[in-house]
Amino acid sequence: MGSEKGLSKFLKSKMLSLLIILLILVVIFSVWSALIGKKFLNTDTLLSIIDMLVVTSFLAIGSGALLLTGNIDLSTTTIGATGGLLLVVSMKTWLLPWPVALILTLAVCAAFGVINAVLVNEFNFQPFIATMATSSVFKGFQMFISWDKASQAAQNFSYSSPFTDFLGTYEVFGFIPITVVLMIIAFLFYGILLSKTKFGDTVYLVGGNPNAARLSGLNPKKISYILFANSAVMSGLAGVVLMARTGQANQLALSNNMFTGLVAAMLGGISFYGGNGGMGGVFVGLLILNTFNKGMAIVNFDAYWSSVLTGVVLVIALSLDFTKTKRLHKLPARLKDAEKQHAAAGGSR
Amino acid sequence: MEQYLEFCRIGKAYPGVQALKDISFRAEGGKVLALIGENGAGKSTLLKILSGDQKPDEGYMMLNGEEISFDSPCDAINKGISVIYQERQLIPSVSVMENIYAGDLPVSKLGLFNKKQLKKQAQEIIDKFGLPIDPTDTVGFLSVAYQQMVEIMKAYRRNSQVIAFDEPTAPLTDKEIDILFKLIEQLKAEGKIILYVSHRMAEIFKISDEIVVLKDGELVKTLKTSETNETELIKAMVGRDIGDTYKNLKRNNKFGEVLLEVNNLNTHVVSDISFKLRKGEIIGFAGLVGSGRTEVVRALFGADPILSGEIKINGDPVRIRSPREAIDNGIALCPEDRKEQGLIIWRSIKDNICMPVLDKLKKGIFMDPKAKEELTIDAIERLSIKTTNIDKTVMELSGGNQQKVILGRWTSDKIVTKILILDEPTKGIDVGSKAEIYQMMCDFATAGIGVIFISSELTEVINVADTIIVMHNGHITGQISREEATEEKVLAMAMLD
Amino acid sequence: MGRIKKLLNTKTFGLIVATIVLAIIVTALNPSFVARGNIRNLLNTLSFQGVMLAGIAILLMSGNIDLSSGAVAAMGSLVFALLLKGFPGMPWPVALVLSLAAGAIMGLVNVFFMNVVNLVPFIVTIGTSSIFGGIATVITRGNAVPVNVPSFLNLGKIAFFKSIPFVFVVMVAVVLIHAFVLYKTRFGRSIYMVGGNPQAARLCGLSINRTRAILFVSNGVMSTLGGLIWVCLRKQSNPASFIAAAPNMQAIIATLLGGVSFMGGAGGIGGACVGLVLLNVFNTGLAVLKAPAYISVAVNGLLLIIALIIDNVNSMRMRRMLMVSAIKEGAKKRAAS
C-alpha cells in the first residue's frame, strides 16, 4: 500500500526517457559540430537556446494545459501576433499608458479564447475546425488594428518604449534576461497549479473522462472555458514578449510556431486524447525541440528545412502518441467513440 | 424445399459469465419464432452470434441443412442473415431507395448508375408492403417507424432468408406496430425465417408461432404459441433457485423518517414520478431496460434536466440543477455504466476516490497529498478493495473492485451521503462480489442512509430491496414490498401493455 | 413542373439568388465590376480554385478532409516547372503527366498515415501540408521558378468569345467529370454512403479505406492540376506565394457554404460550385469597392463559422432522428398520444 516514491518512480517515468533523448541530441550535435570544426557546447549556444525557448514556452504552456483536456487550439499564433500588435497600437497610436495597454491586450486575447470555447462547448464544433475558422476572424481584427490607410496594407511596427525596452532587454543580476525569469515563473506557476492544486486535479480528471467528472460534481464546461481563455492569454503574452525582444510587431510574428506548442506538449508526454502528462514534460519537450533546431542551425543544416521538420516531428509525435495510447489502454471505449466520431464527423477530431 | 435455421449446441462465455450454454433449437421458414427471456438471459448474445458480430465458443448454426459460420457482420449479410437492431444501420443523409439498395445499386448496360431503374425497383418493394413512402425521400427526415420499415425493406431486398428483429416495437406507436405486423405477416407468407425478440407478451401472442424461452444463458423451453399462455411463459422465464445469499444478508429493519420525497417529477423521458424514501430503507427500481429507471435517478442527481415536479429532502424542497448541487444535498450516484460514466479508468484509484471531495482535501491553497492518501487507504480498507497500490489505475481492477472504488468515493468521512443511488451495481461482476455489494447496501441502510437500487435482474431487486417500485414506459406502474413481491407479480407490472 | 418547384426550394437556389443579388449590388456601386478585365480575372481565379474544389468537395462528402491540398498543389506544380527547366527538350504534356503523378504520390502518403498508421485525416494533412510545402520551399529557397514554354503559357491566354478563358473551360470539364462520377456511378453513390454512416456502409460491403484511398489520390491529382493552372496564368511556379494565398481554404469554405456537410454524406458538387462563385463575387466585390483587405479576411472566417453552424444544426436534426435512443422517441410519442 502507499504510493511509489522517489527514485523508482523517476526511473519508470517518461521524464527520464525525455532527458535521455535530450542528452543523446546534445551528444550527437557535439560530435557532429566537432566534425565540421565547430563548437556546440558553449554558453552562446545555451543562451541562444534559452532565448528561443522564452517565446515558445508561453505558447506551449497554454497549448499544453488545453491539450490535457483533449482540446486543441490552432489559433494561438494568430492570437499571439494580435497580442503584439495590439500592445504597440494601443501604446503608440492610442497613447495608452503601458499597464492599461497590457491589460487591454490580454483582455482582448482572453475574449478570443472565450469565443473559441463558445464554439466548441455550445455549438459542438470540433476544436480544430472552430479554432481554424476563428483564426481567420482574429486575423481580420489584427489587420484592422494595424491597417495603414495610405498603403492599404497592414503595417509593420517598429516600436520602443521604456516598458517594452525593459521587458525586452533588462537583465536580472546583469545576465539573466527578465523574460527568462518570467518564463521560469510561468512554468513554476503552471507546474504547481496543475500538480498541486484543486484546479489542476480537476483539469486532469476532466481530461480523463468528462462524463465521470461531471457526475462526481466537477464542471467540465467551466474548465474548458478557462483553458481556452488561458491558452489565448498565454499566446498573447508570447506575442507581447516577442514584440518586446525584437522591437517589432507585425502579422507574421510567430507564424512559424503554429504547432510548436502542440508538438512540445505531445513530445513532453501530454496525450492527444487528454488526461496525462505535465508541465515538466512540456518544458523538456520544448528544450528538445529547440536544441534540435539550434543544433541543426549550428551544423549548417539548411534553414529552409525547418517547415519540413516541423511536419515530420508533428506526424511522428502523433503516431507515437497514438500507438502508445493504444497499447496502454487497448483503446478503451472512450477512444473508440472518439474514433467513431472522427469517422462520422469528417474523420477529423 | 423446406427452409430452416438451426442452432446446434451453441455456447458462448465472456470473462466471468457463461452467456450461452448448449442452446439448440430450430426456426422454420414461414413461421415467426419469438425469443423471450429476462435481461441477461442471453437473447442479445444469441443475436450477436447470428449477425456475425460474435463467434460462438461451441456449437454451430445450420441453414437449410448446411453449416454456416461468419467472419464478420458483412459476411452474415451476404449469406442471407439480416438482423434489425434498434440502432438503425441506415445512412441518414441518403434517399430511401439508395438505402434499400445500398451496396447493390442497379446499373445500366454501360455500367452507369441507373436512377430510374432504382426508383422503379424501390417503388415496387415499397408497394409490395403498401407503405406511403416516396423512394426519393431522405431517410434522416422519416419518422423512426418508417426508418425501421426502410431497414426491413433493405433486408427483404437482399433476399435474406433469415430476418431477426431485436425489440422492434419499442419505439413505435400502436398504429405503427400494426403496420410492422402486417409487414412481418407478408414476410412470413413468403416463407422467410423470422426471429422475433421482444419483452411484450401481447405482441408475442399476436405475432409468433413458436416461442423459445431463455434463462441465464440456457434454453428453458420451446413452446407452440397456440398451446401456451402468459402465466406459463412468465413462470418459465423466472423461477430460479434463490440461493442462501439473500437469506444470509444482515438487513436493516428500522426505518426512520422520510428522507427523500419526489412528487410528480417530469423529464423529457419520464413522467409523473412520485415516491418516498425513508432513512435506512432500500428502494429497488425494477423494470425493463429503457423503462426510465436510469432517467429518474439521473434527474434526481441533476445530470438530466427536470421539467417539473418537486423534490424534498428531509422535508425541505430543494432545487437540483447539476450533479454538484445534488452532491451538496447529500445525494450520491453510482452510474449505470461504470467505465463510461463512473470512473476515469486511466487514472489511479486515489484520483477516482478523491474526485468529489477535492475541496476538503486541501491544505491552504494546495492539495494535501497525505489527506488524499489517507482517504484512499481508508476506503480500500473499509470496502476491502483488492489492490497492491493506491496509484494503480482503475482499469487494472476487476469489475467488483471497480464498483467498490465508486462506492468508496461516496462513503468516506469527508462527504455526507444521505441518499445513495446505485444503478445496476452488479452488472458484469462475479457472484462473490455481488453478495459483498448486497451486504454493503444493507450496511449503508443500517447506518441510516437511504438507498435506491436499480437492477435488471429481478431476483436481486426483489430479494435485496425493502420496497420495489416497478417502471414501464417512463411511468411508475406499481409499488410492492419485499414480503409481497414475487418475480411473477413484478414482471407482470413491468411488461404491462 | 415538380422539378422546378423542387429546385426553387433548395439551398443551392438560395445561394444562386444571393450571388446574383450580390453581383447586382456590387455592379450598382461600382460598374467596373463587370468590366471585361475584371470578369476575366474572376473566371481565372475560379478556374484553379474550382479544380481544387472538385476534389475537396468529394472528400468532404465522404467524411474526410484534406488540409494539405494547397501544399500538394504547390509541390506538384513545382515538379512541373523543374522538369521543364531541367530537361529543356521535354514536351510539356509529359511534364504535366509526371507532375500529376507526383500529386497522386503525395495523396498516397496521406493515405498511408490514415489507413496504415491509423491517424485522423485532419491532423495528418496538417502535418503533411507542412512537409510538402516545406520541401517545395527548400527546393526554391522561397523564390519563383519561371516557366518559359510558349505553347503551355498560351493556354492561359486563350479565351473564347474574348472573355471565357480556356482554363475556365478546363475547370468546368473537371467539375462535370466529378459530378458524373458522383451522380452516375456506383462508386460515386457509395461516397455518400461511406460519408453518411461508415458503419452501415461497411455492412453493405463498401470499403471505407478503399474509398478514402481513391479519393485522396484523386484529390492529389486535382490539386496539382489546380496548381498547374495557376502556373499557366502566372508564368511561374511560386510555392511560397501559392501556399500563402491558400486557395484550398477558399475551396473548403466554399464547399461548406454550398451545403456539403462537414459531417460527410450530404451536399452536391453544384452547390459547392455556387458557393465558390458566391465567395469569389464577394471577395472581388470587396476588392472592386476598395474595401480594406481585413474585411474580407474576417468575413471569410465568419462565413466558415456560419456555414458550420447551419451544417451542425442540419446534421444534428438528422442524426437525432436516427441515433438518439429509439426508445426515448417512443416514450415521448406514447406520452403524447
Side-chain angles (χ1 to χ4, degrees):
Chain A
M1 202 74 53
S3 48
E4 272 187 76
K5 287 269 151 58
L7 195 63
S8 77
K9 195 170 176 184
F10 176 72
L11 284 175
K12 279 186 199 164
S13 72
K14 169 121 191 166
M15 187 57 100
L16 182 70
S17 36
L18 283 176
L19 289 173
I20 291 174
I21 295 176
L22 186 59
L23 195 69
I24 293 174
L25 275 182
V26 170
V27 171
I28 290 178
F29 284 120
S30 303
V31 175
W32 193 347
S33 53
L35 285 178
I36 58 170
K38 283 190 179 171
K39 208 156 186 253
F40 179 73
L41 268 185
N42 57 26
T43 11
D44 275 358
T45 316
L46 192 67
L47 282 178
S48 128
I49 288 177
I50 289 176
D51 206 36
M52 291 198 288
L53 204 62
V54 170
V55 172
T56 48
S57 64
F58 290 102
L59 288 177
I61 289 172
S63 301
L66 188 61
L67 192 61
L68 280 175
T69 57
N71 280 317
I72 280 185
D73 185 353
L74 294 181
S75 65
T76 49
T77 43
T78 312
I79 295 177
T82 310
L85 279 167
L86 190 56
L87 184 79
V88 171
V89 170
S90 48
M91 289 173 75
K92 191 175 179 177
T93 316
W94 305 336
L95 303 171
L96 296 175
W98 72 264
V100 180
L102 187 64
I103 290 171
L104 175 74
T105 302
L106 297 183
V108 168
C109 291
F112 285 175
V114 170
I115 293 173
N116 284 333
V118 167
L119 289 181
V120 170
N121 287 294
E122 314 301 335
F123 290 95
N124 291 321
F125 278 29
Q126 299 176 13
F128 292 119
I129 193 79
T131 52
M132 217 171 70
T134 53
S135 67
S136 179
V137 178
F138 302 158
K139 183 111 200 160
F141 174 79
Q142 179 193 109
M143 289 165 76
F144 168 70
I145 55 169
S146 58
W147 198 249
D148 179 32
K149 275 206 180 124
S151 65
Q152 282 294 301
Q155 278 173 289
N156 291 341
F157 291 94
S158 292
Y159 178 67
S160 87
S161 71
F163 166 63
T164 54
D165 287 349
F166 171 79
L167 191 61
T169 55
Y170 181 76
E171 292 180 335
V172 183
F173 309 127
F175 69 100
I176 310 171
I178 179 100
T179 46
V180 171
V181 175
L182 280 179
M183 173 189 80
I184 294 170
I185 292 174
F187 265 112
L188 286 178
F189 176 75
Y190 280 90
I192 292 170
L193 185 71
L194 286 172
S195 63
K196 301 276 180 230
T197 67
K198 187 199 164 199
F199 177 78
D201 278 20
T202 312
V203 168
Y204 282 104
L205 296 172
V206 165
N209 182 348
N211 282 331
R214 176 167 176 257
L215 291 183
S216 296
L218 306 177
N219 190 342
K221 226 182 210 182
K222 190 172 109 191
I223 296 290
S224 172
Y225 272 88
I226 292 176
L227 290 180
F228 266 109
N230 177 62
S231 160
V233 169
M234 292 306 277
S235 309
L237 266 182
V240 167
V241 169
L242 182 70
M243 185 273 130
R245 292 188 62 79
T246 56
Q248 303 278 329
N250 59 52
Q251 288 188 74
L252 293 176
L254 291 171
S255 57
N256 289 329
N257 293 308
M258 188 151 174
F259 303 111
T260 313
L262 188 65
V263 170
M266 281 196 297
L267 274 182
I270 297 185
S271 167
F272 194 61
Y273 299 96
N276 265 315
M279 279 300 137
V282 173
F283 181 74
V284 182
L286 208 51
L287 208 55
I288 291 176
L289 268 188
N290 281 318
T291 308
F292 182 73
N293 285 340
K294 182 68 192 171
M296 287 310 226
I298 287 185
V299 298
N300 280 341
F301 203 76
D302 194 334
Y304 281 106
W305 280 98
S306 67
S307 160
V308 183
L309 291 176
T310 310
V312 171
V313 173
L314 178 67
V315 172
I316 290 178
L318 262 170
S319 309
L320 287 181
D321 177 50
F322 185 81
T323 38
K324 184 191 75 190
T325 317
K326 198 169 166 179
R327 202 182 59 234
L328 262 182
H329 310 297
K330 294 209 181 89
L331 278 180
R334 195 171 82 90
L335 195 48
K336 273 191 207 147
D337 266 7
E339 283 190 335
K340 249 186 251 165
Q341 264 171 325
H342 293 313
S348 31
R349 180 138 85 135
Chain B
M1 195 192 71
E2 182 94 11
Q3 295 198 331
Y4 67 94
L5 172 76
E6 194 166 2
F7 291 86
C8 305
R9 312 187 66 82
I10 298 279
K12 174 83 193 171
Y14 295 116
V17 200
Q18 183 74 34
L20 289 176
K21 211 155 105 193
D22 198 20
I23 304 283
S24 303
F25 65 91
R26 184 170 156 141
E28 281 171 31
K31 284 186 180 167
V32 176
L33 182 137
L35 269 175
I36 64 168
E38 283 186 278
N39 294 312
K43 296 165 303 189
S44 48
T45 312
L46 198 64
L47 279 190
K48 275 181 188 159
I49 289 174
L50 180 66
S51 70
D53 198 19
Q54 305 250 335
K55 283 189 179 182
D57 301 335
E58 291 164 61
Y60 53 93
M61 289 174 282
M62 309 247 276
L63 186 58
N64 304 334
E66 264 177 65
E67 191 178 329
I68 44 171
S69 68
F70 314 121
D71 300 329
S72 67
C74 213
D75 194 25
I77 288 170
N78 289 335
K79 287 176 178 159
I81 314 280
S82 288
V83 179
I84 293 164
Y85 290 108
Q86 286 177 19
E87 292 269 301
R88 314 253 168 277
Q89 297 298 340
L90 292 172
I91 298 148
S93 53
V94 165
S95 67
V96 169
M97 54 187 189
E98 284 188 77
N99 265 290
I100 296 179
Y101 278 91
D104 188 27
L105 296 174
V107 288
S108 64
K109 277 176 213 145
L110 292 167
L112 295 179
F113 164 60
N114 192 336
K115 197 170 172 181
K116 261 191 197 147
Q117 177 72 18
L118 173 67
K119 196 172 165 183
K120 210 178 100 202
Q121 288 178 357
Q123 189 67 57
E124 272 169 25
I125 294 185
I126 294 171
D127 289 345
K128 190 168 265 168
F129 291 108
L131 297 172
I133 306 177
D134 186 316
T136 54
D137 283 346
T138 303
V139 161
F141 295 125
L142 293 180
S143 72
V144 184
Y146 284 131
Q147 287 179 0
Q148 194 178 43
M149 306 297 162
V150 172
E151 188 113 53
I152 295 170
M153 289 191 278
K154 196 163 101 183
Y156 178 81
R157 186 274 301 169
R158 284 175 183 149
N159 226 345
S160 298
Q161 275 176 290
V162 182
I163 301 177
F165 294 88
D166 185 14
E167 295 267 0
T169 54
L172 305 186
T173 62
D174 294 344
K175 242 190 210 157
E176 291 164 341
I177 292 174
D178 287 342
I179 303 176
L180 173 73
F181 282 3
K182 244 183 247 159
L183 239 87
I184 294 179
E185 288 294 338
Q186 235 165 341
L187 295 171
K188 205 166 120 176
E190 295 199 15
K192 306 274 183 208
I193 303 161
I194 296 164
L195 298 183
Y196 189 91
V197 174
S198 178
H199 281 299
R200 297 188 181 160
M201 285 292 159
E203 276 171 33
I204 289 168
F205 281 98
K206 199 166 166 193
I207 195 79
S208 74
D209 301 292
E210 276 185 287
I211 302 171
V212 166
V213 185
L214 298 179
K215 192 186 78 185
D216 296 338
E218 291 182 63
L219 192 149
V220 186
K221 249 182 195 167
T222 311
L223 300 155
K224 287 247 181 311
T225 311
S226 51
E227 295 165 8
T228 185
N229 57 42
E230 251 178 72
T231 330
E232 191 186 5
L233 273 187
I234 291 184
K235 205 171 242 167
M237 284 166 67
V238 296
R240 93 194 70 183
D241 297 332
I242 295 164
D244 292 336
T245 322
Y246 302 117
K247 280 183 206 146
N248 294 343
L249 284 181
K250 284 187 221 82
R251 298 175 192 274
N252 169 46
N253 40 26
K254 282 185 295 232
F255 302 145
E257 70 269 30
V258 172
L259 189 59
L260 171 73
E261 189 178 339
V262 178
N263 291 322
N264 305 91
L265 183 81
N266 289 298
T267 74
H268 288 294
V269 184
V270 298
S271 41
D272 212 13
I273 302 297
S274 303
F275 66 92
K276 283 183 186 138
L277 173 71
R278 288 168 293 176
K279 263 189 178 170
E281 186 181 26
I282 303 179
I283 286 190
F285 270 80
L288 305 172
V289 171
S291 57
R293 303 165 307 180
T294 298
E295 286 73 12
V296 170
V297 296
R298 278 181 64 90
L300 279 181
F301 192 63
D304 290 341
I306 295 171
L307 297 182
S308 65
E310 186 188 39
I311 299 173
K312 284 184 186 170
I313 292 178
N314 287 333
D316 302 323
V318 289
R319 280 196 67 189
I320 297 171
R321 284 159 301 188
S322 72
R324 181 78 257 168
E325 289 182 349
I327 294 167
D328 293 341
N329 278 304
I331 306 178
L333 172 71
C334 305
E336 168 185 38
D337 190 332
R338 280 197 296 277
K339 286 179 186 164
E340 288 293 304
Q341 296 165 6
L343 295 163
I344 303 177
I345 56 170
W346 311 5
R347 296 202 73 86
S348 67
I349 299 174
K350 185 169 74 185
D351 285 339
N352 276 284
I353 286 181
C354 299
M355 196 144 56
V357 290
L358 293 176
D359 267 332
K360 296 184 180 118
L361 300 170
K362 288 199 291 196
K363 204 183 199 175
I365 54 167
F366 296 124
M367 295 304 296
D368 180 2
K370 225 182 208 154
K372 275 168 130 183
E373 240 166 72
E374 278 164 11
L375 185 81
T376 313
I377 292 175
D378 169 60
I380 289 177
E381 283 168 357
R382 238 173 342 107
L383 302 173
S384 50
I385 299 172
K386 286 187 197 70
T387 175
T388 51
N389 187 324
I390 60 170
D391 287 324
K392 222 176 196 179
T393 60
V394 168
M395 62 181 295
E396 296 172 77
L397 301 180
S398 72
N401 282 311
Q402 288 181 346
Q403 194 64 55
K404 287 187 203 166
V405 168
I406 303 183
L407 279 170
R409 174 194 297 164
W410 296 123
T411 53
S412 69
D413 52 7
K414 298 276 183 212
I415 193 166
V416 183
T417 299
K418 295 183 218 157
I419 300 155
L420 179 65
I421 306 169
L422 299 110
D423 195 351
E424 301 275 10
T426 58
K427 200 158 124 192
I429 69 179
D430 58 289
V431 185
S433 302
K434 275 186 187 177
E436 272 185 273
I437 286 176
Y438 300 149
Q439 186 56 56
M440 277 175 203
M441 282 195 269
C442 294
D443 293 347
F444 294 141
T446 314
I449 293 176
V451 180
I452 295 178
F453 170 41
I454 296 180
S455 172
S456 295
E457 274 185 49
L458 263 187
T459 339
E460 68 176 23
V461 186
I462 63 170
N463 284 295
V464 175
D466 301 307
T467 309
I468 295 111
I469 292 176
V470 190
M471 287 195 68
H472 178 68
N473 264 341
H475 293 271
I476 291 180
T477 48
Q479 180 165 347
I480 192 167
S481 70
R482 183 173 65 242
E483 290 73 28
E484 297 168 70
T486 61
E487 293 201 26
E488 284 84 353
K489 278 188 199 167
V490 173
L491 205 56
M493 288 192 261
M495 293 169 83
L496 196 81
D497 268 308
Chain C
M1 264 325 274
R3 253 193 163 165
I4 295 173
K5 233 182 201 169
K6 219 170 174 181
L7 179 73
L8 290 180
N9 279 328
T10 58
K11 198 173 160 185
T12 310
F13 181 74
L15 281 176
I16 294 175
V17 172
T19 312
I20 295 172
V21 169
L22 195 63
I24 293 174
I25 292 174
V26 175
T27 315
L29 292 174
N30 186 348
S32 75
F33 178 72
V34 287
R36 180 164 286 166
N38 196 47
I39 291 292
R40 178 116 189 229
N41 268 338
L42 180 65
L43 293 181
N44 280 341
T45 312
L46 282 176
S47 311
F48 64 85
Q49 286 190 0
V51 170
M52 298 184 75
L53 171 114
I56 286 171
I58 286 201
L59 266 182
L60 275 168
M61 288 171 207
S62 75
N64 289 292
I65 191 165
D66 186 354
L67 295 179
S68 73
S69 44
V72 169
M75 184 64 207
S77 56
L78 179 65
V79 169
F80 177 77
L82 289 176
L83 281 173
L84 290 180
K85 193 178 160 200
F87 307 93
M90 183 184 274
W92 68 262
V94 176
L96 185 120
V97 171
L98 288 176
S99 61
L100 293 181
I105 291 170
M106 286 183 272
L108 269 180
V109 172
N110 283 329
V111 172
F112 170 80
F113 285 112
M114 281 173 273
N115 286 359
V116 182
V117 191
N118 252 326
L119 298 179
V120 288
F122 204 112
I123 273 287
V124 167
T125 52
I126 283 182
T128 53
S129 165
S130 177
I131 296 174
F132 301 147
I135 293 176
T137 330
V138 169
I139 297 172
T140 58
R141 315 200 67 81
N143 298 318
V145 178
V147 172
N148 300 317
V149 181
S151 54
F152 174 70
L153 294 180
N154 272 339
L155 295 177
K157 293 179 197 148
I158 303 175
F160 304 105
F161 311 115
K162 287 192 179 162
S163 50
I164 301 173
F166 171 73
V167 285
F168 184 76
V169 178
V170 171
M171 183 275 278
V172 172
V174 166
V175 168
L176 287 179
I177 291 171
H178 275 81
F180 179 80
V181 170
L182 193 61
Y183 299 118
K184 289 288 169 193
T185 67
R186 276 191 185 184
F187 174 73
R189 303 318 294 165
S190 74
I191 290 171
Y192 281 108
M193 299 181 186
V194 169
N197 185 349
Q199 224 98 356
R202 195 178 285 136
L203 284 181
C204 299
L206 304 172
S207 163
I208 285 119
N209 276 1
R210 199 182 68 114
T211 311
R212 183 189 263 171
I214 295 174
L215 294 182
F216 267 94
V217 170
S218 124
N219 188 43
V221 174
M222 286 311 132
S223 309
T224 307
L225 189 60
L228 289 174
I229 293 178
W230 164 287
V231 169
C232 183
L233 295 168
R234 306 282 155 121
K235 304 183 182 67
Q236 60 177 28
S237 165
N238 189 344
S241 73
F242 187 85
I243 293 169
N248 57 323
M249 285 316 295
Q250 298 275 313
I252 290 177
I253 296 173
T255 308
L256 292 170
L257 210 56
V260 173
S261 172
F262 187 67
M263 301 300 214
I269 287 261
C273 288
V274 177
L276 188 68
V277 176
L278 175 62
L279 196 65
N280 274 298
V281 167
F282 199 90
N283 283 336
T284 336
L286 285 179
V288 166
L289 298 178
K290 303 241 161 22
Y294 55 81
I295 291 187
S296 94
V297 170
V299 166
N300 274 324
L302 277 177
L303 283 176
L304 179 57
I305 293 173
I306 291 167
L308 282 167
I309 290 177
I310 294 170
D311 172 37
N312 216 5
V313 173
N314 266 339
S315 54
M316 290 269 271
R317 192 155 58 119
M318 223 181 247
R319 247 150 243 272
R320 192 171 299 139
M321 300 289 287
L322 202 69
M323 302 295 177
V324 161
S325 160
I327 297 158
K328 282 188 193 172
E329 294 272 327
K332 244 186 273 172
K333 269 190 192 167
R334 260 157 220 276
S337 66

